[in-house]
Amino acid sequence: MKFWRTPLDIDKLQIPRGELHILKERCKGCGFCVEYCPKGVLELSDEFNSKGYHPPKAVKPEECVNCDLCELLCPDFAIYCVRAEAGEKEVSN
Amino acid sequence: MKADPKNVLTGAHYLDGNHACAEGAIAAGCKFFAGYPITPSTEIAERVSRRFPLIGGVFIQMEDELASMNAILGASWGGVRSMSCTSGPGFSLMMENFGLGLMLETPCVLVNVQRGGPSTGLPTLPGQADMMQARWGSHGDYEVIALAPDSPQESFELAVHAFNLSEKYRMPVLIMTDECVGHMTEKVVIPDADQIELIERRYTDKKPGEAWPFEETEDLVSPMLPVGQGYKFHVTGLTHDYRGYPVINAEAQHKNVSRLMDKVRKHADDIIWLEEKDVDGADVVVVSYGISSRVVQPAIQRAVKDGIKVGQIKMVTVWPFPEKRIAELAGKVKSLIMVEMNFGQVFLEMDRCAKGKCETYLVGHAGGTVHKPDEIYKTIKEAAK
Amino acid sequence: MSAKVEEQVREEHPLEKILRMDRIPHIWCPTCGLGTTVTALSSALEQLQLDTNKVAVVSGIGCTGRVAGYMKLDSFHTTHGRAVPFAVGLHIARPDLKTIVFSGDGDLISIGGNHFIHTARRNVDMTIICVNNFIYAMTGGQVAPTTPLTAKAATTPYGNAEHPFNLPLLAASSGAVYVARWTALHVRRLTVAIKEAIQKPGFSFVEVIAPCSTLYARINKLGTGLDLMKFYHDNSVIRHGADLNDVDIDFQSKIVVGKFVDIEKPTYIDCLNAGNKRAFGDKYKPYGGGNGDN
């Protein structure tokens, strides 16, 4: 059952696209960004940074919608998101 | 800078030491007072609370002395001359953040109207037994500046002087008065505002981004940084470097603490203020401070009549201790006598500096009343033998 | 290796202008919630477009006490429990500045508890952000006045025998005009709460429940900070305007979050001015701060 209506201007709406920046050396591997990315964009990598933590990597970067949640949750200021210039995609119903 | 005439109650007044002290602070431009009621100091807070509204100051009665001490530090960093007053038990509580004031190098003035201790002791009677607490009461190693007025007139004058020293050396300054001076009412002459010289706070002349709160300077006193002007500085009670950033190691500790101490030690000659009388050629010199320096006088006069060569030193500043002068005198006189209302606190310093080169005597008692001239006279007689 | 590291770190994170980058990385453990709370405050300041020259942050001691050192603002790291009275003095001297106290539960409510309630009572215009991790973390995980009954700590190895404070109730009953509680996971709502708190004239209080993985989670065998975040996810109940008698936090119980109090009341300086106006009439110039020369 659907509890929401389809927006009338759905054909005009575009889902924003984000570009992820991961500052690997600052990461302490808490996994907050991986856990709470609503699009499952991130995964902890096998790679080590110089502190010995596994920083995240974007496994589905094209899915990023620039919601900034990873940036807001990261306790180490190690990840941020900027709006991608092009490549916004249409909202599918 | 001259005092602001609207703050100065020019004229002759009949005031007790506490009220005079409050007037001195106001004349010195104090605009923030945080305090907590405690006998026998409260008149200072009361006077300030009455006087402040029309001259743009704020008095706030805090929840305790811990808060009072912190609030005056906060206000001082806000750019306002600030002070608090207390007595023994409150002084103990303030010691924690007196240390913060020293560490953050924050100008402010703290008055201790001393009463008998320890603990609640003698709330309404005088003592001078907080002198070593003034020197060492907060943890760690540091130097302090403490002044001791002997009259209401001097309470006024030293309040102004205390603010000047605190701004000059960027540190909290103590006024160690006592119940006797605090509650003694005498004529106090408050001069014209243009007769009152004030030392202005030194702020950095560098631009934001280039200035740090504890820069190394030749005189060891770093100019302060103003809040709200984009300097975005950090200060901490942790051991820190010139940037104000915490650095937790022995080297930084040595540098930080040495500077705090040298700031006073290297300027000791400028800070120390002694009033000497008939010291040259004296056999016996009576050293005292605060109310005790008035009580010694009849005893000295009697001894002089007996033909004893007695000199007197009144220590207007007790800390830093006049080490050099005492050491010098010790080589010249037969004996030094310390008169103070405790069982020998500043006496220990005098004795240390005399290094056995002369006899040292203590005329001390536990407080509660001033000395009887007789006891002092007897000691002078004995010391002259 | 190190040259490469340097290069990577030099990328510009959007919060870099409000953080002291010369002090980052911070000292907080992996999965600590403090960094997230700092981000919330930073985002709030940015969204409010406040002149950051006019914002001062005051901290006490403890893990949270270190916040002042990482924010590129006029910042004061004071003694244990004394951030609030220091901030009172600073605020009265400079009421034109936004004064923010960022402190931990032990610092603010245990050793600083008296200052907290009295400053709330006076309704001094400042914002208090209290990061509650249920434990004294910096000193090694000792019991705090917020540690839930039965929870373990380094000094309650057999479980805490004391009832904890209900901080929103304490703040509200002491006189706070704005009281909210969120967890470090509710980072957007937390940012909104901090924004509202900063804009609110008077004593505003935001409690942030934040994970301490190294001590609280480890001693109580609750996993990592991430597990605590998941716990907040599953067990937080948003209830705006909740009856504050019902927002106690028991060991691993539901956590009621939301905006609880948002009322209007004259601030300390408002009352000071009103009182002096009554006493002196036009002779009194309303207090605006500084050395009285304004």
Side-chain angles (χ1 to χ4, degrees):
Chain A
M1 193 162 97
K2 270 175 77 176
F3 290 102
W4 55 90
R5 63 174 178 82
T6 303
L8 297 173
D9 56 351
I10 188 150
D11 52 326
K12 291 186 198 129
L13 287 180
Q14 291 204 308
I15 297 174
R17 283 252 301 111
E19 192 184 295
L20 273 174
H21 294 256
I22 300 167
L23 308 173
K24 293 180 191 167
E25 283 306 320
R26 273 191 211 157
C27 177
K28 291 181 189 162
C30 68
F32 290 179
C33 56
V34 175
E35 177 70 24
Y36 291 105
C37 174
K39 292 288 188 182
V41 171
L42 295 159
E43 218 174 61
L44 284 185
S45 61
D46 295 332
E47 183 189 345
F48 287 102
N49 66 13
S50 62
K51 293 191 206 114
Y53 297 111
H54 296 290
K57 63 174 182 207
V59 284
K60 290 185 278 178
E62 68 288 351
E63 291 280 303
C64 175
V65 293
N66 194 32
C67 74
D68 282 344
L69 193 60
C70 55
E71 177 184 323
L72 292 173
L73 279 174
C74 174
D76 293 283
F77 320 112
I79 188 168
Y80 64 97
C81 215
V82 291
R83 193 160 179 143
E85 288 297 316
E88 299 195 345
K89 58 184 179 183
E90 284 182 11
V91 178
S92 56
N93 193 3
Chain B
M1 182 174 80
K2 303 289 182 195
D4 181 347
K6 78 172 189 263
N7 300 337
V8 183
L9 275 192
T10 302
H13 304 266
Y14 190 54
L15 294 176
D16 73 16
N18 284 345
H19 284 86
C21 178
E23 283 306 327
I26 293 168
C30 174
K31 288 286 162 66
F32 181 79
F33 189 110
Y36 186 80
I38 186 165
T39 306
S41 76
T42 318
E43 292 83 4
I44 302 177
E46 288 174 354
R47 175 121 186 159
V48 164
S49 70
R50 275 203 303 277
R51 291 269 281 122
F52 264 175
L54 289 183
I55 55 170
V58 173
F59 166 84
I60 182 167
Q61 185 173 313
M62 296 300 283
E63 52 275 14
D64 55 29
E65 287 89 347
L66 297 158
S68 306
M69 186 69 217
N70 270 281
I72 67 171
L73 297 179
S76 181
W77 276 99
V80 173
R81 289 184 181 223
S82 58
M83 84 180 296
S84 187
C85 72
T86 190
S87 187
F91 198 56
S92 293
L93 291 184
M94 286 186 176
M95 279 296 109
E96 178 196 56
N97 296 289
F98 178 66
L100 179 68
L102 290 164
M103 199 63 159
L104 300 187
E105 303 185 41
T106 311
C108 60
V109 172
L110 175 55
V111 185
N112 179 355
V113 187
Q114 293 176 86
R115 64 196 222 183
S119 189
T120 313
L122 299 170
T124 56
L125 297 175
Q128 288 183 319
D130 302 348
M131 296 311 298
M132 273 298 174
Q133 187 183 20
R135 178 65 191 85
W136 297 111
S138 198
H139 54 280
D141 229 350
Y142 53 84
E143 289 278 346
V144 295
I145 300 176
L147 312 172
D150 71 351
S151 62
Q153 180 68 39
E154 214 174 69
S155 296
F156 174 87
E157 287 160 9
L158 291 190
V160 176
H161 187 56
F163 273 98
N164 280 343
L165 287 173
S166 82
E167 295 294 349
K168 188 169 183 186
Y169 295 109
R170 202 185 143 178
M171 62 188 288
V173 170
L174 297 167
I175 299 179
M176 299 298 288
T177 177
D178 59 76
E179 188 276 335
C180 227
V181 171
H183 288 161
M184 167 201 293
T185 305
E186 286 182 339
K187 182 177 171 186
V188 175
V189 179
I190 300 181
D192 287 334
D194 61 11
Q195 301 292 306
I196 301 174
E197 196 60 48
L198 299 183
I199 295 179
E200 259 178 291
R201 180 166 301 183
R202 204 147 53 94
Y203 283 111
T204 185
D205 46 16
K206 294 183 184 167
K207 286 201 263 324
E210 295 168 6
W212 299 98
F214 304 104
E215 273 171 15
E216 286 168 33
T217 55
E218 211 168 307
D219 64 356
L220 302 171
V221 187
S222 180
M224 281 185 86
L225 304 186
V227 287
Q229 291 186 24
Y231 286 91
K232 297 183 178 172
F233 59 85
H234 180 61
V235 290
T236 172
L238 287 165
T239 296
H240 48 259
D241 59 11
Y242 68 99
R243 299 171 300 175
Y245 292 177
V247 184
I248 310 299
N249 63 42
E251 199 193 341
Q253 170 75 355
H254 176 75
K255 213 169 165 185
N256 196 163
V257 179
S258 305
R259 205 170 58 79
L260 293 182
M261 302 190 76
D262 288 346
K263 188 162 77 166
V264 175
R265 288 182 175 177
K266 294 202 170 150
H267 295 107
D269 290 342
D270 175 52
I271 299 166
I272 291 170
W273 176 356
L274 302 177
E275 287 179 3
E276 302 190 358
K277 205 178 144 198
D278 306 326
V279 171
D280 290 334
D283 287 329
V284 177
V285 172
V286 179
V287 186
S288 54
Y289 54 90
I291 190 64
S292 302
S293 58
R294 291 177 76 164
V295 180
V296 299
Q297 286 174 21
I300 292 174
Q301 282 159 14
R302 233 171 110 188
V304 169
K305 269 189 202 153
D306 291 352
I308 304 172
K309 288 184 193 159
V310 190
Q312 191 197 348
I313 293 183
K314 184 181 107 176
M315 295 193 290
V316 180
T317 52
V318 180
W319 309 122
F321 190 75
E323 296 186 358
K324 268 200 290 189
R325 183 61 179 144
I326 295 293
E328 188 188 351
L329 279 177
K332 292 180 183 165
V333 301
K334 208 182 266 178
S335 354
L336 289 169
I337 301 174
M338 174 62 70
V339 181
E340 55 181 344
M341 270 189 283
N342 57 52
F343 280 127
Q345 293 191 2
V346 183
F347 168 74
L348 294 176
E349 278 293 271
M350 189 183 79
D351 191 53
R352 174 180 71 82
C353 297
K355 290 197 171 116
K357 285 189 279 181
C358 69
E359 293 296 317
T360 55
Y361 293 84
L362 165 71
V363 187
H365 64 72
T369 177
V370 294
H371 290 81
K372 293 188 179 67
D374 251 11
E375 302 163 39
I376 305 165
Y377 170 73
K378 278 180 202 153
T379 311
I380 297 174
K381 289 287 265 189
E382 199 193 323
K385 272 181 201 162
Chain C
M1 175 71 194
S2 65
K4 192 176 142 213
V5 170
E6 193 77 347
E7 203 176 324
Q8 280 169 331
V9 173
R10 226 177 263 151
E11 279 185 70
E12 178 97 349
H13 189 284
L15 291 180
E16 290 192 7
K17 48 188 178 298
I18 201 156
L19 297 173
R20 286 183 206 282
M21 293 316 295
D22 48 353
R23 300 211 58 223
I24 303 287
H26 54 61
I27 61 163
W28 299 315
C29 308
T31 79
C32 171
L34 272 164
T36 307
T37 319
V38 168
T39 304
L41 172 60
S42 308
S43 316
L45 292 175
E46 197 177 287
Q47 288 170 25
L48 287 172
Q49 295 188 309
L50 284 179
D51 176 0
T52 51
N53 290 350
K54 304 285 181 197
V55 181
V57 58
V58 186
S59 282
I61 296 296
C63 294
T64 318
R66 291 302 189 107
V67 167
Y70 297 123
M71 304 286 301
K72 203 197 274 176
L73 299 167
D74 289 336
S75 58
F76 301 90
H77 183 217
T78 66
T79 43
H80 199 20
R82 317 292 172 223
V84 171
F86 190 99
V88 169
L90 184 64
H91 165 71
I92 293 174
R94 292 296 302 272
D96 57 318
L97 306 183
K98 292 281 182 195
T99 303
I100 299 167
V101 172
F102 211 121
S103 246
D105 47 315
D107 187 59
L108 195 66
I109 304 300
S110 186
I111 188 167
N114 200 32
H115 309 310
F116 176 78
I117 58 173
H118 283 278
T119 307
R121 170 179 66 79
R122 296 184 187 105
N123 199 25
V124 180
D125 183 14
M126 60 172 68
T127 299
I128 312 274
I129 300 170
C130 174
V131 178
N132 180 2
N133 54 12
F134 304 120
I135 210 154
Y136 280 86
M138 181 70 91
T139 46
Q142 296 77 21
V143 72
T146 46
T147 307
L149 192 66
T150 75
K152 287 182 180 159
T155 46
T156 53
Y158 312 114
N160 180 20
E162 298 175 16
H163 298 283
F165 263 128
N166 170 343
L167 299 187
L169 178 64
L170 179 69
S173 54
S174 304
V177 289
Y178 182 94
V179 179
R181 174 199 276 161
W182 295 102
T183 76
L185 181 64
H186 295 90
V187 63
R188 285 187 209 279
R189 294 176 191 267
L190 175 61
T191 306
V192 171
I194 293 175
K195 269 160 62 178
E196 290 178 346
I198 289 174
Q199 285 175 304
K200 187 89 195 170
F203 188 89
S204 49
F205 176 71
V206 180
E207 180 185 8
V208 189
I209 308 291
C212 168
S213 60
T214 306
L215 293 154
Y216 186 71
R218 180 176 57 78
I219 296 172
N220 287 290
K221 299 190 167 51
L222 302 174
T224 65
L226 180 58
D227 293 310
L228 284 181
M229 289 290 244
K230 288 177 185 167
F231 176 82
Y232 303 155
H233 182 269
D234 298 339
N235 293 281
S236 297
V237 184
I238 298 176
R239 215 187 292 153
H240 295 298
D243 181 344
L244 290 177
N245 289 304
D246 301 336
V247 306
D248 280 296
I249 299 177
D250 296 325
F251 186 57
Q252 296 298 89
S253 71
K254 292 271 179 213
I255 299 171
V256 179
V257 294
K259 177 162 84 174
F260 303 132
V261 176
D262 190 354
I263 57 169
E264 307 296 321
K265 196 160 77 176
T267 66
Y268 168 75
I269 288 184
D270 292 341
C271 295
L272 181 79
N273 280 331
N276 285 334
K277 192 89 190 161
R278 270 199 308 276
F280 298 105
D282 291 340
K283 272 204 293 186
Y284 179 71
K285 213 165 100 186
Y287 179 74
N291 249 332
D293 309 322
N294 50 314

